């Protein structure tokens, strides 16, 4: 079975160059190494989870991919482009849902979701219709006209997710997008997200500290130590992720690599 | 079996609304104004009329002025509006440039800071030398005085822009215009209102002062006339109108602000 995946993977990689490529990336803040010689290739349509404890440098990796940070050494390529030097070249190709919701307080939920669409030059009507359909998808259809401060933390996070997905990006970056939600909502949304990502073969880089999230969605799980450097790498098919026994084993394996058991009550 | 009785009175009466902050302020204002009127009345009995006129005399003068000098009030208001609007625009541009062009920032900042240090009186005298037209003089005086308030507050506003929001909008790869339109302008609006509210009282005093020095029309010039004809009742009446004008403008600006900033949560600090 593992060989099957490998074959599918290499076929996919032949057709498309890697969507996201980090090559020997090194980043330090004020003398403190945060990302250490990190190399990651994310193939087109692949869902990769970055797992790591708090402070491991996960968000930093995301910011490097986004181009808001530049590596001290090494290269970052997104859809073949340097995300910092070729900032505008990636318009519409990349979207992020940040760890904090970052909603614009003067815009309602639906107006926040419209933001990326308006930047892409869509008409007001089209942006509104698309934004509303995405709010429906994240179960917030009746909160469309509420301002950010009128929404709960979980609702805001879902608006943020809708805002990222609404622009129909080729590459999606998610930073702890499901961590703040209760288990039922989180699971439903993860399943929904996974379906959408597969249906539109989106390339996804998910950052999370919850093993559960990674096992539910990722084709490949990268466990990072601190500073960010790959400790463990494992692949997973959609069939395998439904196998409870295998999941339990992988869970333990990842937990061990993270250095200790996962804190189930971690608020995220 | 179980049925609801919508017509039945509710068992628990809704709690009585507590006295709002606004109501308390209104009451306090009425008390203070009444106190001042009584004080005037009492004082006017003991001193000559040209020192302290009675409220009755002032009221009569006010009525007289209200009908005969309405045009002067409008002239002053027009000057005030034009100068505040122009200062807002120029100050906004200066503040934006200071916030977004780090290379120009120190130069503009020191220019603005020097400006704030120049006394209004100096500007008034300089304006008389520089400009012949009284309208230009008044406009110039008000602008040089008000612009720094807008420029510095807008600059502060831009500095207070959360980095997180900048990164968020940049993730969509916006043009400069998008960032302006969707992030910076909406973020700055509250600062514009704040500045306008805090500057309007000062601007009213300054426009009247400038009119007194530089013009033959407007409230300031009429007050000058009242003084030279020994009509202290009219001086008081004008003063009363100026205070009222300030209150009316403050209320009007607050009302507009409430509509424009309806997205802001109501905060109360205990
Ligand atoms: N802009 C910055 N300046 C200085 N230090 C930073 C900066 N950003 C991150 N760091 C440091 O880098 C380290 C990694 O931070 P990062 O936010 O990437 O962690 P993380 O893995 O996302 O953690 P969490 O799970 O808590 O979100 C931390 O020690 C943090 O203090
Ligand atoms: Mg993080």
């Amino acid at each position: 079975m593992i060989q099957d995946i490998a074959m599918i993977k290499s076929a996919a990689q032949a057709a498309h160059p890697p969507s996201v490529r980090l090559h020997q990336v090194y980043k330090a803040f004020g003398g403190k190494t945060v990302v250490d010689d990190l190399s990651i290739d994310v193939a087109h349509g692949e869902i990769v989870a970055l797992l790591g404890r708090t402070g491991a440098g996960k968000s930093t990796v995301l910011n490097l991919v986004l181009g808001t940070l530049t590596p001290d050494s090494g290269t970052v390529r997104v859809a073949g482009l340097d995300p910092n030097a070729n900032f505008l070249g990636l318009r519409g190709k990349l979207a992020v849902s940040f760890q904090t919701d970052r909603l614009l307080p003067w815009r309602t939920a639906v107006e926040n979701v419209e933001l990326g669409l308006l930047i892409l030059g869509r008409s007001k009507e089209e942006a509104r219709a698309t934004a509303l359909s995405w709010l429906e998808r994240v179960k917030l259809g009746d909160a469309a006209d509420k301002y950010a401060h009128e929404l709960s933390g979980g609702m805001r996070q879902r608006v943020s997710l809708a805002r990222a997905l609404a622009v129909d990006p080729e590459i999606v970056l998610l930073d702890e997008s499901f961590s703040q939600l209760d288990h039922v909502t989180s699971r439903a949304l993860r399943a929904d997200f996974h379906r959408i990502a597969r249906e539109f073969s989106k390339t996804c880089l998910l950052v999370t500290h919850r093993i559960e999230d990674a096992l539910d969605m990722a084709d490949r799980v990268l466990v990072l130590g601190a500073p960010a450097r790959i400790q463990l790498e494992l692949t997973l098919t959609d069939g395998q992720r439904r196998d409870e026994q295998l999941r339990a084993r992988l869970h333990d394996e990842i937990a061990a690599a993270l250095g200790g058991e996962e804190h189930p009550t971690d608020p995220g | 079996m179980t049925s609801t009785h919508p017509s039945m009175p509710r068992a628990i009466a809704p709690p009585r609304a507590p006295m709002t902050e606004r109501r308390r302020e209104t009451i306090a204002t009425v008390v203070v104004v009444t106190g001042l009127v009584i004080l005037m009345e009492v004082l006017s009995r003991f001193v000559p009329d040209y020192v302290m006129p009675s409220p009755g005399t002032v009221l009569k003068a006010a009525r007289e002025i209200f009908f005969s000098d309405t045009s002067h009030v409008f002239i002053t208001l027009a000057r005030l509006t034009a100068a505040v609007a122009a200062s807002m625009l120029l100050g906004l541009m200066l503040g934006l440039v200071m916030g977004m062009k780090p290379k120009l920032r120190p130069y503009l900042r020191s220019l603005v800071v020097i400006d704030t240090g120049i006394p209004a009186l100096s500007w008034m005298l300089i304006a008389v030398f520089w400009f012949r037209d009284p309208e230009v003089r008044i406009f110039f005086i008000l602008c040089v005085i008000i612009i720094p308030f807008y420029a510095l507050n807008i600059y502060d506003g831009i500095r207070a822009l959360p980095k997180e929001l900048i990164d968020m909008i940049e993730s969509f790869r916006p043009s400069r215009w998008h960032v302006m339109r969707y992030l910076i302008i909406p973020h700055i609006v509250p600062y514009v209102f704040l500045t306008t509210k805090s500057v309007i009282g000062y601007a009213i005093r300054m426009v009247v002062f400038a009119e007194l020095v530089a013009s033959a029309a407007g409230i300031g010039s009429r007050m000058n006339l009242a003084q030279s004809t020994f009509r202290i009742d009219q001086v008081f009446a004008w003063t009363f109108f100026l205070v009222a004008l300030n209150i009316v403008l403050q209320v009007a600006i607050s009302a507009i602000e409430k509509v424009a900033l309806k997205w802001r949560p109501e905060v109360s600090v205990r």
Side-chain angles (χ1 to χ4, degrees):
Chain A
M1 210 192 254
I2 307 256
Q3 277 161 346
D4 287 354
I5 316 160
M7 270 167 63
I8 295 165
K9 279 280 140 55
S10 59
Q13 275 159 4
H16 294 274
S19 285
V20 177
R21 158 166 272 178
L22 280 84
H23 184 66
Q24 296 174 352
V25 169
Y26 178 90
K27 179 80 188 169
F29 290 114
K32 182 173 173 273
T33 303
V34 174
V35 179
D36 192 8
D37 192 25
L38 186 68
S39 297
I40 302 176
D41 277 349
V42 185
H44 178 83
E46 191 184 18
I47 304 177
V48 170
L50 286 183
L51 256 171
R53 314 185 87 175
T54 179
K58 307 183 293 294
S59 297
T60 305
V61 172
L62 225 63
N63 282 324
L64 288 165
V65 173
L66 198 53
T68 47
L69 285 180
T70 48
D72 295 344
S73 70
T75 52
V76 180
R77 290 289 176 272
V78 178
L81 301 171
D82 179 328
N84 182 269
N86 214 323
F87 205 76
L88 291 178
L90 287 172
R91 181 183 284 180
K93 293 202 176 125
L94 182 72
V96 206
S97 177
F98 292 92
Q99 189 162 6
T100 49
D101 56 75
R102 307 193 185 189
L103 299 184
L104 296 176
W106 49 83
R107 296 191 143 237
T108 59
V110 66
E111 287 168 348
N112 264 289
V113 179
E114 281 171 4
L115 184 67
L117 296 160
L118 294 174
I119 288 174
L120 282 178
R122 303 285 153 74
S123 73
K124 274 207 163 85
E125 296 74 32
E126 193 191 337
R128 178 56 55 105
T130 311
L132 281 174
S133 77
W134 275 100
L135 279 179
E136 291 289 345
R137 270 219 163 92
V138 296
K139 317 275 184 287
L140 283 178
D142 42 5
D145 294 324
K146 288 200 157 54
Y147 286 105
H149 76 269
E150 298 169 310
L151 303 171
S152 75
M155 289 162 98
R156 285 203 292 268
Q157 195 68 57
R158 280 180 283 159
V159 175
S160 161
L161 186 64
R163 178 175 61 189
L165 294 175
V167 297
D168 192 17
E170 192 180 310
I171 299 157
V172 187
L173 310 176
L174 300 185
D175 197 346
E176 305 280 9
S177 294
F178 307 95
S179 310
Q180 288 189 20
L181 308 171
D182 65 87
H183 276 283
V184 178
T185 315
S186 172
R187 170 158 299 182
L189 210 56
R190 281 197 304 248
D192 216 20
F193 175 77
H194 190 249
R195 212 193 57 239
I196 293 161
R198 278 278 181 271
E199 189 179 332
F200 300 99
S201 43
K202 300 217 177 290
T203 307
C204 306
L205 193 58
L206 318 172
V207 159
T208 179
H209 69 276
R210 292 212 311 208
I211 301 175
E212 192 72 5
D213 286 8
L215 291 181
D216 268 0
M217 293 179 286
D219 300 315
R220 195 147 53 96
V221 181
L222 304 177
V223 180
L224 300 181
R229 166 190 259 167
I230 296 170
Q231 301 282 327
L232 175 73
E233 172 168 359
L234 44 91
T235 53
L236 191 68
T237 61
D238 287 349
Q240 284 172 326
R241 82 176 85 251
R242 282 191 286 272
D243 178 346
E244 289 301 326
Q245 253 175 332
L246 181 69
R247 269 182 78 115
R249 216 188 65 226
L250 293 177
H251 188 287
D252 292 347
E253 206 175 316
I254 293 169
L258 280 170
E261 66 274 34
E262 187 195 13
H263 300 288
T265 51
D266 194 331
Chain B
M1 198 68 77
T2 50
S3 61
T4 50
H5 301 274
S7 59
M8 255 174 58
R10 278 192 289 172
I12 303 162
R16 266 178 56 195
M19 204 197 276
T20 61
E21 189 62 28
R22 198 193 194 95
R23 208 180 140 80
R24 223 175 301 163
E25 270 171 21
T26 313
I27 291 172
T29 309
V30 170
V31 169
V32 169
V33 169
T34 315
L36 284 175
V37 169
I38 292 170
L39 190 69
M40 267 178 84
E41 179 63 47
V42 172
L43 278 176
S44 70
R45 305 270 165 109
F46 295 100
V47 297
D49 250 8
Y50 60 83
V51 176
M52 177 58 77
S54 75
T57 327
V58 174
L59 195 70
K60 229 174 77 196
R63 207 161 46 207
E64 200 181 296
I65 290 167
F66 187 80
F67 290 109
S68 64
D69 288 3
T70 329
S71 62
H72 291 279
V73 176
F74 282 113
I75 289 171
T76 301
L77 259 179
R79 286 171 178 157
L80 187 72
T81 314
V84 170
S87 307
M88 190 188 290
L89 218 68
L90 282 166
L92 190 71
M93 291 202 295
L94 262 176
L96 285 174
V97 174
M98 282 203 292
M100 296 164 75
K101 297 269 182 228
K103 286 213 182 92
L104 289 175
R105 179 181 308 151
Y107 298 97
L108 290 177
R109 238 187 96 78
S110 54
L111 197 67
V112 170
V113 169
I114 289 170
D115 183 10
T116 55
I118 298 175
L121 184 64
S122 303
W123 283 124
M124 289 190 191
L125 298 178
I126 291 167
V128 173
F129 281 103
W130 283 2
F131 307 106
R132 199 161 286 278
D133 186 342
E135 293 308 325
V136 179
R137 286 178 185 172
I138 293 171
F139 185 77
F140 172 79
I141 293 165
L142 285 177
C143 285
V144 288
I145 293 172
I146 303 170
I147 285 172
F149 288 97
Y150 280 104
L152 292 176
N153 282 348
I154 300 300
Y155 171 55
D156 274 348
I158 291 178
R159 277 200 309 180
L161 197 58
K163 170 110 177 29
E164 293 209 321
L165 290 186
I166 300 173
D167 283 352
M168 183 281 292
I169 197 161
E170 298 238 294
S171 75
F172 289 112
R173 318 281 153 165
S175 64
R176 282 184 152 264
W177 161 244
H178 288 139
V179 178
M180 203 66 157
R181 160 103 174 62
Y182 297 119
L183 184 65
I184 294 175
I185 299 290
H187 170 78
I188 271 171
V189 172
Y191 292 85
V192 174
F193 274 108
L194 190 78
T195 312
T196 307
K197 281 199 293 188
S198 68
V199 104
I200 201 78
Y202 188 51
I204 290 173
R205 276 171 277 165
M206 281 304 134
V207 72
V208 173
F209 199 6
E211 284 173 341
L212 190 132
V213 175
S215 174
I219 296 174
S221 75
R222 299 311 281 176
M223 289 181 85
N224 197 11
L225 185 71
Q227 189 270 334
S228 55
T229 53
F230 303 104
R231 291 292 301 273
I232 194 170
D233 54 337
Q234 286 190 356
V235 172
F236 267 86
W238 279 120
T239 307
F240 165 76
F241 280 136
L242 288 173
V243 172
L245 184 65
N246 186 24
I247 293 170
V248 168
L249 289 180
Q250 294 281 0
V251 169
I253 295 166
S254 295
I256 299 170
E257 184 184 29
K258 212 167 175 154
V259 176
L261 302 182
K262 64 175 194 298
W263 54 269
R264 283 212 292 203
E266 295 278 341
V267 286
S268 60
V269 181
R270 271 187 288 181

